[in-house]
Amino acid sequence: MKDKSINLLLLEDNPGDARLIRELLADTGDRFNLQCVDLLSKGLKCLVSQNIDAVLLDLGLPDSQGLNTIESVRATKASIPIIVLTGLDDESVAIEAVRRGAQDYLIKGSITGSMLSRVIRYAIERKNYEEELKRSLEKFTRALNGTVKAMAMAVEIRDPYTAGHQKRTADLARAIAQEMNLAPERVEGIQLACMIHDIGKISIPAEILSKPSLLSNLELSLIKIHPQVGYDILKEIDFPWPIAKTVLQHHERIDGSGYPAGLKNDAILLEAKVLAVADVVEAIASHRPYRPAFGTKEAIDEITRKQGVLYDPTVVKSCLKLFQDKEYSFG
Ligand SMILES: [Fe+2]
C-alpha cells in the first residue's frame, strides 16, 4: 500500500488545525491526497461522490457535535475507515468513539506525521479485513441456507405428502419467534432447524410415510425414531445454532409425555418448543395421507387446550396472537 496514493478527507473547521495536519502529512513523504472540508454536510457529499480511502474527523464541526458525527459518516458509508482527530483528551470518549465504529482516536497536538501516516494505513488495512470478513460471513450464511434447503428438498422429494410441511412450519416458527421478540440470529436458527426438522424421515420406508390409512403400532414406533435419526445426521455439522438438538427435541412435550427422551419444561430448548407448536399447528391444519385437512381453527383449538400441558404457554400465546390478531395464514 506504501506505493499507492491514499485519498483522505479531512473534516475540520479550524483552518489552523487543517494546515497543521496537511503539513504533518506532507513531511512524511508518503503519497496522501488530502481534501479538507469544514462542514459535515459537505463531507458526506464528498463521501458519496468521490473515491475516498479514509476520513480524518474532528468531532466539533459547526453542523455536527460529538460522537454522533461518527455515526453520520458511517450511515453514509459504512465501509469507510474513520480516524477521530480531536482536541479532547478523554479516555472514555475515545473508547466510545471506537465502539461506535471509529478505527482510531488521536489527540491534536500530540501526534507526529509518521504516527498519523501509520495510523491511517493501519486503519485502512484493518477496515479492509473487516469488510472481507463480513463478505465471507455473508457468503458462508448463504451457502449454509442453500445446504439446508437442499436437505429439505431431499426429504420432500421422497415424501410428497409432507412436501411443503417443513417450509410452512419454518415460516410459522419464524413468525412466532419474531412475535416473541427473540434476537434476529436466534430467529434465523429456528427457521433453519424447522426447514429440516423431519430430515430423519429419510430412514423410514416410503410406503409408511405415504400410507393412506392409520398406522399400526409398529409403524408408529418406526416413525418415532425420526428425531434421533435427524439428530445423528446433523450433529456433526458445526452450525452456529443448536440445529441438531432442536430437531432431536421437536416431539418432546413440556409434561414429559413426548419422545424420544421424555424431557420436561426447561430441559427442552426454547427453539424446540417453538418448532413443536409450529409443527403441530401446520400438521393439523393441512391434509395428511390418511386424513383430510382439519383446518386452522382445529389447530388453534388444540394448542389452546394443551398450552401449559404439552406446549409452552409463551410460545402458544405468541402463536395465537398471530392467528387471532394479525390474521396469519399459511398462504
Ligand atoms: Fe417430526
Side-chain angles (χ1 to χ4, degrees), residues 92-120:
S92 60
V93 178
I95 291 171
E96 186 57 21
V98 171
R99 205 186 63 76
R100 295 202 195 186
Q103 299 287 308
D104 217 323
Y105 186 96
L106 302 177
I107 315 295
K108 287 176 195 169
S110 66
I111 44 171
T112 62
S114 60
M115 183 202 283
L116 184 57
S117 171
R118 203 172 49 241
V119 165
I120 292 166

Side-chain angles (χ1 to χ4, degrees), residues 8-252:
L8 291 175
L9 178 66
L10 172 63
L11 275 79
E12 173 62 76
D13 63 320
N14 181 324
D17 286 350
R19 197 171 50 245
L20 187 72
I21 289 160
R22 190 176 288 283
E23 283 167 9
L24 281 176
L25 290 172
D27 285 349
T28 63
D30 293 336
R31 292 167 62 192
F32 291 112
N33 303 322
L34 185 70
Q35 182 182 180
C36 183
V37 293
D38 57 356
L39 289 173
L40 175 69
S41 55
K42 284 187 195 167
L44 298 185
K45 276 185 193 148
C46 293
L47 274 180
V48 174
S49 60
Q50 297 175 31
N51 196 9
I52 306 288
D53 295 312
V55 167
L56 303 176
L57 185 65
D58 180 20
L59 292 180
L61 296 166
D63 60 344
S64 180
Q65 293 286 322
L67 293 164
N68 290 339
T69 318
I70 298 173
E71 270 149 22
S72 303
V73 172
R74 293 198 69 214
T76 301
K77 196 168 185 186
S79 62
I80 195 82
I82 301 168
I83 297 142
V84 173
L85 269 180
T86 175
L88 185 63
D89 188 358
D90 184 323
E91 200 180 308
S92 60
V93 178
I95 291 171
E96 186 57 21
V98 171
R99 205 186 63 76
R100 295 202 195 186
Q103 299 287 308
D104 217 323
Y105 186 96
L106 302 177
I107 315 295
K108 287 176 195 169
S110 66
I111 44 171
T112 62
S114 60
M115 183 202 283
L116 184 57
S117 171
R118 203 172 49 241
V119 165
I120 292 166
R121 292 173 188 284
Y122 181 58
I124 293 173
E125 250 175 70
R126 203 165 42 145
K127 193 71 188 171
N128 280 344
Y129 284 132
E130 270 177 37
E131 290 299 306
E132 212 171 288
L133 194 66
K134 223 168 90 190
R135 280 194 295 275
S136 311
L137 252 173
E138 283 164 6
K139 207 168 143 192
F140 169 73
T141 308
R142 274 201 303 279
L144 205 60
N145 281 331
T147 311
V148 169
K149 273 189 194 142
M151 287 168 119
M153 272 177 72
V155 180
E156 294 184 349
I157 284 168
R158 217 176 140 256
D159 178 13
Y161 287 97
T162 54
H165 162 67
Q166 296 188 115
K167 171 80 174 67
R168 286 190 299 271
T169 301
D171 289 345
L172 175 57
R174 179 185 186 85
I176 294 173
Q178 281 170 336
E179 185 63 40
M180 292 170 73
N181 284 325
L182 299 185
E185 310 81 60
R186 204 168 182 191
V187 174
E188 198 180 341
I190 289 174
Q191 187 183 18
L192 284 181
C194 292
M195 282 176 69
I196 43 173
H197 72 272
D198 277 338
I199 193 164
K201 285 190 176 169
I202 220 148
S203 69
I204 300 167
E207 348 27 299
I208 297 183
L209 293 177
S210 53
K211 196 173 164 187
S213 56
L214 284 178
L215 300 173
S216 70
N217 283 342
L218 175 71
E219 288 163 339
L220 270 177
S221 52
L222 272 176
I223 291 232
K224 283 187 172 181
I225 64 168
H226 80 274
Q228 182 67 51
V229 176
Y231 175 76
D232 292 340
I233 292 170
L234 298 166
K235 69 179 181 207
E236 299 301 336
I237 307 176
D238 195 9
F239 288 110
W241 310 281
I243 302 269
K245 267 198 169 171
T246 305
V247 168
L248 176 66
Q249 297 179 358
H250 79 276
H251 284 284
E252 300 289 357

